[in-house]
Amino acid sequence: MTMIKILLILLLFQLHGCDNSASPHSHDHDSHDDHSDEEIVKGLHGGRLLTQDDFTLELAIVEAGIPPEYRVWAIKNGQTIDPSEVTLKIELDRLGGIKDIINFKPQSDFLRGDDEIYEPHSFDISVNATYKGKTYNWQYENHEGRTSIDPAIADSFGLTTLAAGPATLKETITVYGEITSNPEGIRNINARFDGEIKNVYVSEGDLVDKGQLLANVESNESLTTYSIKSPIRGVITQRTMGSGEQTMGKILFTIMDTQSLWANLKIFPSDRAEVSNGSTVVIRDTVSSQTYTGKISNISVTADDNQSVTARVIINNKDNLFTHGMFIQGDITTAVYTVPLAVKRTGLQSFRDFTVVYAMFGNQYEVRMLELGRQDSEWAEVLGGIDPGTPYVVDNSYIVKADIEKSAASHDH
């Protein structure tokens, strides 16, 4: 990372506040503006106290063994009020223009909200209460997992976004194997007539073209000199003789066509039923991570001593990415399916006990707690937690996470 980016990160963290401590016994999920001098006062039930004149409400989100819900206790002059005498409504304004309205009914000694307070518990709150003809109002912020980042800074960090939506996932199994030469691309070169080698023009390791002159040989019978030329384009992998030697029926050169190689993959019995001819495979060099996508051309009908069978992929190696003897990994596609909602795995981060992405609303970013389904190497199916079409950070999301952790908006438990 460049020094400029490091300085920008430090500047960004300074812009977004200092840590706030949270009561370890609180159950109201409150956080407050880092620049505010307001001190959150807690009640007997661990909830936030809101007071006007001699009338007080204690608001707590209760979620032990149940979906999170608001419970509110009303107090007058220090004495608990019969909840049936209080009319209460709470409005929660969330990012994205979402407004949740919570109405309350009396239960035991408290008022119980009629709707679940779903994650994240991050909203602007309006409280409206009526008691004996008098109305009381409060407004405050309860933000968590949220931060603001200037668009210019976001661009400098490479914060790219994508809208949550449908995706095609692939189920794969991972196997291992080795690159070998294609026997159909190997040529052993002999002299047509035995004789003395007059000249040799190539060495081991040389790349030769089809028709290129390899050597001249003088026939022992006719004493005429003839040329030996390469029948294919390839690499000289073996040269057995030099000038002045007799050919004596021996192999003079071995040429390998390196543009066509075999990837031999070992398939164990537990995976055999999922693999067939035509299955798509991503071949990966285990050292350099070079990849090649091909299809299984055939599967051996005999098993090795360890009961594996060999699945072969023919590699078009025109770019010379692979070499004979290279160890490889193969990711074989066994199923392909489309899901209605998914996010890229590069955007996933942890937040408390959740796996999240950071949804973007203008210059504001906020966690979205996800319920995930099936996953592949690129995508994660989403069963709940983010609405289709919501932009979320896919690249460098750790920057947003770090800024949120720096601002330390709390979620009390």
Side-chain angles (χ1 to χ4, degrees):
M1 181 177 291
T2 65
M3 182 59 68
I4 292 177
K5 284 196 172 182
I6 293 173
L7 292 174
L8 284 171
I9 289 175
L10 293 174
L11 174 61
L12 175 62
F13 287 169
Q14 291 172 355
L15 291 174
H16 291 283
C18 304
D19 291 346
N20 292 304
S21 60
S23 167
H25 305 294
S26 170
H27 292 271
D28 67 351
H29 303 77
D30 280 330
S31 64
H32 55 276
D33 191 330
D34 296 287
H35 302 289
S36 172
D37 294 327
E38 175 189 1
E39 193 69 34
I40 298 175
V41 181
K42 303 296 178 69
L44 294 176
H45 304 90
R48 179 172 185 151
L49 294 180
L50 303 175
T51 300
Q52 285 185 15
D53 301 328
D54 55 359
F55 181 77
T56 299
L57 295 180
E58 180 183 352
L59 276 66
I61 294 179
V62 177
E63 54 184 318
I66 59 173
E69 65 180 28
Y70 264 122
R71 292 186 182 179
V72 180
W73 291 262
I75 302 165
K76 179 77 169 180
N77 293 321
Q79 300 296 318
T80 301
I81 301 172
D82 183 344
S84 64
E85 298 181 20
V86 178
T87 301
L88 178 64
K89 181 175 74 171
I90 292 179
E91 294 185 1
L92 309 177
D93 288 321
R94 298 176 179 267
L95 287 180
I98 298 173
K99 184 185 294 290
D100 299 332
I101 298 177
I102 314 297
N103 294 299
F104 291 80
K105 292 183 178 180
Q107 179 175 316
S108 184
D109 64 340
F110 59 86
L111 291 148
R112 182 180 183 183
D114 64 356
D115 203 357
E116 177 182 346
I117 312 303
Y118 57 88
E119 298 281 6
H121 296 167
S122 181
F123 25 67
D124 296 333
I125 302 176
S126 297
V127 180
N128 182 280
T130 302
Y131 173 66
K132 290 190 174 180
K134 185 174 181 180
T135 298
Y136 302 86
N137 294 286
W138 294 268
Q139 290 82 35
Y140 63 96
E141 294 178 351
N142 190 94
H143 295 170
E144 67 159 354
R146 182 191 296 191
T147 190
S148 296
I149 301 177
D150 183 89
I153 296 178
D155 287 343
S156 71
F157 289 154
L159 297 183
T160 60
T161 61
L162 185 70
T168 299
L169 278 67
K170 298 177 181 179
E171 288 184 0
T172 62
I173 59 172
T174 298
V175 297
Y176 297 90
E178 185 178 1
I179 298 293
T180 66
S181 57
N182 183 343
E184 298 174 358
I186 296 177
R187 296 292 187 272
N188 292 317
I189 312 300
N190 301 79
R192 287 177 295 164
F193 311 102
D194 280 338
E196 180 183 342
I197 300 175
K198 290 298 185 179
N199 303 99
V200 179
Y201 300 103
V202 293
S203 300
E204 285 190 13
D206 286 353
L207 174 65
V208 297
D209 290 322
K210 182 178 180 179
Q212 182 172 332
L213 180 62
L214 305 179
N216 292 325
V217 177
E218 182 183 86
S219 171
N220 289 338
E221 293 185 4
S222 65
L223 300 180
T224 59
T225 300
Y226 63 92
S227 299
I228 297 177
K229 297 182 179 180
S230 175
I232 61 171
R233 185 182 190 276
V235 174
I236 305 293
T237 60
Q238 185 179 39
R239 192 190 98 170
T240 63
M241 292 188 171
S243 299
E245 297 185 70
Q246 287 289 323
T247 60
M248 301 175 62
K250 295 181 179 180
I251 295 174
L252 306 181
F253 306 96
T254 299
I255 302 176
M256 178 191 298
D257 178 6
T258 59
Q259 292 193 8
S260 178
L261 298 175
W262 285 359
N264 291 326
L265 303 169
K266 298 301 182 181
I267 313 297
F268 287 95
S270 58
D271 297 325
R272 177 63 185 86
E274 299 184 73
V275 180
S276 60
N277 288 344
S279 294
T280 299
V281 187
V282 177
I283 304 295
R284 193 181 314 275
D285 172 17
T286 57
V287 176
S288 70
S289 297
Q290 297 280 6
T291 62
Y292 176 84
T293 301
K295 294 184 181 296
I296 292 176
S297 61
N298 62 75
I299 301 173
S300 63
V301 295
T302 57
D304 296 337
D305 291 342
N306 61 3
Q307 295 303 298
S308 67
V309 295
T310 300
R312 179 178 301 146
V313 178
I314 299 176
I315 295 179
N316 183 339
N317 195 42
K318 63 180 180 179
D319 295 326
N320 291 313
L321 300 179
F322 298 92
T323 59
H324 173 86
M326 179 182 289
F327 293 115
I328 54 171
Q329 170 185 313
D331 296 319
I332 303 175
T333 299
T334 58
V336 178
Y337 46 87
T338 299
V339 297
L341 187 61
V343 294
K344 280 202 167 184
R345 292 182 59 182
T346 53
L348 297 178
Q349 294 289 345
S350 60
F351 181 83
R352 300 204 321 265
D353 298 328
F354 299 95
T355 298
V356 305
V357 291
Y358 295 103
M360 184 187 72
F361 301 89
N363 66 343
Q364 296 190 81
Y365 299 81
E366 188 176 79
V367 294
R368 287 295 179 266
M369 288 76 165
L370 303 179
E371 179 185 355
L372 298 179
R374 297 166 291 184
Q375 299 187 36
D376 66 8
S377 60
E378 183 178 10
W379 296 97
E381 179 184 17
V382 176
L383 305 178
I386 191 170
D387 292 330
T390 302
Y392 66 97
V393 180
V394 294
D395 293 316
N396 299 318
S397 57
Y398 67 91
I399 296 291
V400 184
K401 177 181 180 178
D403 196 43
I404 287 174
E405 290 177 347
K406 180 67 177 177
S407 63
S410 67
H411 181 108
D412 296 341
H413 287 279

